[in-house]
Amino acid sequence: MVDAAGTSVIIALLMVTAAGVSFVFVWYSWFRADHPISETFALLMLADGLWALFSFLGYISPTDAIALLWPVPTTAASSFGTVAWFIFVTRYTADSEWIPVAVERALFGLAALYVTLFALNPGGVVHAASGVGRYGLLRLPYPEPGPVLLGYTLFTYVLLAVTFGLLGRFLLRTRNLYRKQAALIFGATIVVTLSTVFYVAGFSLHPQLVLTPVFLVVQAVGIGIALYRYDFLDVSPMAAHTLLAEMEDPVFVVNTDGRIADWNRAAAAHIDTDDAYPAIDDIGHPELSAALASTDGGAESPTPTVTTTATRNGRPERVTFDVRTTAIPDRYGVVRGHAVVLRDITEQEERKRALETQNERLEEFTGVVSHDLRNPLQVIDSRIELARQTGDLSHLDDASEATQRMETLLDDLLDLAREGRVLDETNEVALADCVADAWASIAAPDAALTVETDRTLVADASRLQQVFENLFRNALDHGGTGVTITVTDTEDGFAIADDGPGIPEAERDTVFDLGMTTDADGTGFGLAIVERVVDAHGWSISVAESHAGGARFEVSLGEHAPLTVED
């Protein structure tokens, strides 16, 4: 069993070790002074190193008189060390953003005032008397505490409690990324604090033996390992956490077990569970989870594009994401997970789709202008010439009818151009209400409408209404004024059916073509406009036979079916 002399030698060696390790981290932190928090950590290590060094020099003093010289510098180091610890914690957790700089200055000023009072001890307000105890080979200088010393000690413990509260909150708010690091810093400092608490409570090898400087080696090594083992100074944890949280694009951190270890606020909207570490399958959209599961983050990995639903400004919208995956290796090069960023490319995709649509429409318009408008122009030209030659003004009636025909064609062309655009704004639309509004705009007193839907979907209400209006007019034109029309839900969309003569199967593939009509007075643009509006929503439309033998137009939401909501 080691006696007091042997134990005192061990204590002295540990103090020297604590000082040495602290000074090494001071040098290393200043060497890496380009990092934002290294200076604060260096300041903390400097104060801790001096605290351990001054305590060691006081304990090995050759005489009591020399030993009594060291409590003042030791007190200065410990007091400024406490303030340095507070600043380090606030920098680490990013709480310094809301704590004024004046508070830090005030803490340093208070520490300086306390050290000055401790050195001068006017009227014995700081310590009533001083003495030197002995333990083994050590001399233990100590002050008898006065009211100022007790008050400042209490203040120090309150300040430490605040820092532990900030660290604890940070520990709870972070997930895998920095939890181990924060826990190591928290634990290493708790050891130092407990050593002081045990001394104050009387649990020590000697009543005047303060072992806190011994345990400073635990704090130095613990925090040093936490910072540099996790490469903390490359980017402060709270800075990375803030970057992750504030990114507008959804970000997931997926570990090798296929579970989501971390995510930001934008990504939280896509997770359908309260589990701390949800699986990829817990993402609310199958196409999104499949995209995450399909990539390994390598250089040759594909960059899938997924379209899903996101809530913006309180309403759901269809969005397209470009899925970018980056491998996260450890210091040995072993991949430990992947960072997955969903870059919102909705606007780019819409512009691309709009450009493709415009090019297609331009070709179609060229054909319409060169063909459909040429006939009325020829009629006008010939009738005017006949009127001139014969003096019979009745020929001008035919010219007027041709003019009206051209006006109708031009109006429909403008409608077609408008309906082919990418949607400007979408909202939740009750399908039954939209159908009712469309029916109200149709003059069909003898026709019947049956609505069998309670579906709500995301659409441009005015343009969806035109879909129904054109389909209703198509049914009236071909089925007669007494036609019965039914609007009903389907598995992935809705359908509009009538009991008219229907559309022959051979003509169903061309029914949406520009100019396709069997009505002598029609322009053939009505169903073409319907298809353009449906395409603009990202849906599809097809033609079938209704149960009554008439026409049945089926609109499928396809991959956008998740946008629908059943009431």
Side-chain angles (χ1 to χ4, degrees):
M1 184 175 180
V2 181
D3 57 10
T7 303
S8 64
V9 172
I10 295 174
I11 291 173
L13 290 175
L14 288 175
M15 286 186 179
V16 172
T17 302
V21 171
S22 297
F23 291 145
V24 167
F25 279 118
V26 170
W27 170 82
Y28 188 68
S29 296
W30 279 110
F31 178 74
R32 303 190 65 181
D34 56 316
H35 299 285
I37 205 171
S38 60
E39 293 183 2
T40 305
F41 179 58
L43 179 63
L44 173 62
M45 289 295 99
L46 178 62
D48 284 356
L50 292 175
W51 187 1
L53 178 62
F54 293 154
S55 297
F56 166 75
L57 294 175
Y59 284 178
I60 65 169
S61 295
T63 65
D64 288 355
I66 295 177
L68 289 173
L69 297 176
W70 292 106
V72 172
T74 301
T75 298
S78 63
S79 298
F80 287 112
T82 302
V83 177
W85 165 250
F86 174 82
I87 295 175
F88 170 79
V89 170
T90 58
R91 295 283 196 277
Y92 178 79
T93 60
D95 288 294
S96 57
E97 295 180 0
W98 59 269
I99 297 177
V101 177
V103 172
E104 298 178 359
R105 294 173 180 172
L107 290 175
F108 275 117
L110 184 60
L113 176 61
Y114 172 69
V115 172
T116 302
L117 291 175
F118 187 93
L120 300 177
N121 193 29
V125 295
V126 180
H127 47 86
S130 298
V132 178
R134 296 296 295 269
Y135 179 76
L137 304 177
L138 304 179
R139 298 180 188 274
L140 311 176
Y142 66 91
E144 291 289 344
V148 173
L149 191 153
L150 292 174
Y152 193 80
T153 300
L154 178 61
F155 168 75
T156 298
Y157 282 117
V158 171
L159 197 62
L160 289 173
V162 170
T163 62
F164 288 133
L166 297 177
L167 267 179
R169 185 187 62 178
F170 177 76
L171 188 62
L172 294 175
R173 288 173 56 185
T174 56
R175 289 181 282 273
N176 268 6
L177 284 180
Y178 297 104
R179 175 164 287 183
K180 292 181 181 179
Q181 184 188 78
L184 189 54
I185 294 174
F186 188 90
T189 308
I190 278 289
V191 171
V192 177
T193 303
L194 289 179
S195 69
T196 304
V197 172
F198 288 156
Y199 167 74
V200 174
F203 298 101
S204 180
L205 297 175
H206 187 278
Q208 279 78 46
L209 179 60
V210 181
L211 292 178
T212 300
V214 173
F215 288 99
L216 289 177
V217 70
V218 177
Q219 184 184 49
V221 173
I223 297 179
I225 290 175
L227 300 189
Y228 298 108
R229 166 63 179 82
Y230 292 97
D231 211 11
F232 160 72
L233 291 180
D234 284 345
V235 59
S236 70
M238 201 59 194
H241 179 77
T242 301
L243 177 64
L244 179 70
E246 296 303 322
M247 286 185 65
E248 294 183 1
D249 291 333
V251 181
F252 300 88
V253 178
V254 183
N255 63 24
T256 54
D257 295 327
R259 305 199 74 84
I260 303 173
D262 205 357
W263 60 90
N264 65 351
R265 183 168 49 249
H270 300 281
I271 298 177
D272 287 347
T273 180
D274 294 328
D275 291 348
Y277 301 102
I280 291 180
D281 291 340
D282 291 323
I283 296 177
H285 308 287
E287 68 278 9
L288 187 56
S289 59
L292 295 185
S294 66
T295 179
D296 62 5
E300 301 301 323
S301 295
T303 304
T305 298
V306 297
T307 300
T308 184
T309 309
T311 301
R312 294 177 175 176
N313 300 322
R315 57 188 179 86
E317 293 183 1
R318 187 173 70 253
V319 295
T320 301
F321 291 116
D322 181 40
V323 183
R324 298 297 179 93
T325 305
T326 303
I328 304 176
D330 61 16
R331 61 175 178 166
Y332 302 107
V334 179
V335 175
R336 300 298 184 184
H338 296 88
V340 182
V341 180
L342 305 183
R343 189 167 62 90
D344 190 342
I345 59 171
T346 305
E347 292 186 3
Q348 296 94 311
E349 288 296 302
E350 288 180 346
R351 286 195 295 268
K352 177 182 176 182
R353 188 164 59 248
L355 181 60
E356 292 174 349
T357 300
Q358 288 173 0
N359 291 335
E360 293 173 359
R361 300 301 179 259
L362 180 60
E363 294 180 3
E364 294 174 337
F365 290 165
T366 301
V368 169
V369 171
S370 64
H371 181 271
D372 291 38
L373 292 181
R374 182 177 298 162
N375 292 335
L377 284 172
Q378 290 175 344
V379 171
I380 293 172
D381 184 60
S382 63
R383 295 305 177 185
I384 291 177
E385 183 62 27
L386 285 173
R388 286 175 178 171
Q389 293 176 0
T390 64
D392 185 359
L393 297 182
S394 64
H395 292 295
L396 297 181
D397 293 336
D398 294 334
S400 177
E401 291 179 3
T403 302
Q404 293 174 1
R405 172 70 174 173
M406 288 181 62
E407 184 178 356
T408 301
L409 284 169
L410 289 173
D411 287 343
D412 284 350
L413 275 172
L414 291 174
D415 285 342
L416 188 64
R418 182 178 70 86
E419 301 309 333
R421 292 200 316 262
V422 175
L423 304 182
D424 293 327
E425 182 177 357
T426 59
N427 294 285
E428 287 189 357
V429 178
L431 200 58
D433 293 343
C434 189
V435 169
D437 291 340
W439 187 250
S441 68
I442 303 296
D446 299 326
L449 174 68
T450 302
V451 180
E452 299 174 349
T453 178
D454 56 2
R455 185 183 294 276
T456 299
L457 47 75
V458 177
D460 184 322
S462 64
R463 293 168 73 177
L464 180 59
Q465 179 176 327
Q466 186 167 8
V467 167
F468 288 113
E469 291 175 359
N470 286 10
L471 291 175
F472 292 162
R473 290 192 183 99
N474 183 75
L476 290 166
D477 290 342
H478 297 86
T481 57
V483 70
T484 297
I485 303 172
T486 303
V487 179
T488 184
D489 287 335
T490 62
E491 184 176 347
D492 65 342
F494 56 90
I496 303 94
D498 61 53
D499 61 355
I503 300 174
E505 187 172 355
E507 298 178 6
R508 293 174 187 172
D509 291 337
T510 60
V511 72
F512 297 109
D513 291 349
L514 280 174
M516 176 61 185
T517 180
T518 58
D519 188 343
D521 296 327
T523 63
F525 285 2
L527 293 183
I529 291 174
V530 168
E531 185 184 43
R532 301 304 185 269
V533 175
V534 170
D535 286 345
H537 281 83
W539 307 334
S540 62
I541 187 169
S542 60
V543 184
E545 184 177 332
S546 69
H547 293 302
R552 176 181 170 89
F553 293 88
E554 296 180 351
V555 177
S556 173
L557 307 183
E559 65 178 7
H560 307 302
L563 294 175
T564 61
V565 179
E566 299 294 342
D567 292 336

